[in-house]
Amino acid sequence: MEQSPQIGDRITDKSASPDDTTVRDWIGPKAFEHWAELRNWIEEHYPGVFAPDWLYRGQKRGWSLRYKRSKAFCTFLPEYRKLSVEVVLGTAEREKFEARRYEWRTQLVKLYDEAQTYLDGKWLRVAISSAADRHDVTELLSMKRRFPRSGR
């Protein structure tokens, strides 16, 4: 008997990368609005910079949508009835974050403080359930990489 998906489960069917319909059905319509808003924001502010790439990370972690140029920008994690975005902050980004520490929302600072620091940086996994969460991610991404001159 197949078990029903639980909140936070990942898309693990590796036969084909997910399309928008699969993602919408999996994460739900509200989370999909955030998905679309964030994708549109990246396209608007970084036109032609990134070619989003679906990655299959194994049976446990499933599919994720990565934005990367020479280094990782962010990764969208479509989870059952939930959306999270992973942002890795390297040394320079952590210094910028710390310089603005008291300007960030309390939830984001707590997430930052609790994230373990690895050789390549702090991996923040931000759950997106509101416009404020989305704004946190866009602020982190703006801090991580300047807008191209033609964008914005």
Side-chain angles (χ1 to χ4, degrees):
M1 189 167 106
E2 197 169 304
Q3 189 176 346
S4 297
Q6 302 295 309
I7 291 184
D9 283 355
R10 306 294 274 287
I11 301 172
T12 57
D13 176 6
K14 72 177 191 175
S15 62
S17 59
D19 58 15
D20 279 351
T21 302
T22 303
V23 171
R24 185 182 321 108
D25 291 349
W26 190 255
I27 69 177
K30 186 169 169 47
F32 189 76
E33 285 179 31
H34 297 303
W35 171 278
E37 288 283 336
L38 282 168
R39 292 199 63 192
N40 290 337
W41 183 88
I42 291 171
E43 265 311 304
E44 179 185 331
H45 290 87
Y46 301 92
V49 173
F50 303 105
D53 182 31
W54 281 104
L55 299 175
Y56 185 74
R57 296 174 155 185
Q59 187 62 32
K60 184 177 178 183
R61 295 193 280 159
W63 288 99
S64 57
L65 184 65
R66 178 179 65 181
Y67 284 82
K68 179 180 177 179
R69 181 71 177 236
S70 57
K71 59 182 183 173
F73 186 57
C74 70
T75 304
F76 286 44
L77 307 171
E79 300 167 300
Y80 189 69
R81 299 298 175 248
K82 182 179 173 184
L83 168 64
S84 296
V85 176
E86 195 173 72
V87 180
V88 179
L89 302 180
T91 305
E93 291 95 7
R94 290 195 316 271
E95 289 172 4
K96 291 176 188 175
F97 186 96
E98 289 292 346
R100 294 176 52 189
R101 180 179 254 302
Y102 299 103
E103 298 173 21
W104 300 103
R105 288 190 322 141
T106 307
Q107 301 93 311
L108 188 63
V109 173
K110 184 177 188 297
L111 184 68
Y112 175 86
D113 288 344
E114 291 173 355
Q116 186 168 346
T117 304
Y118 297 97
L119 286 175
D120 56 352
K122 272 190 184 274
W123 291 57
L124 300 185
R125 186 171 171 175
V126 183
I128 310 295
S129 59
S130 69
D133 296 332
R134 233 179 29 239
H135 179 74
D136 284 347
V137 168
T138 59
E139 285 295 304
L140 285 171
L141 295 176
S142 300
M143 179 187 74
K144 188 172 170 74
R145 183 179 181 117
R146 292 179 188 256
F147 298 122
R149 290 184 187 197
S150 60
R152 202 156 207 211

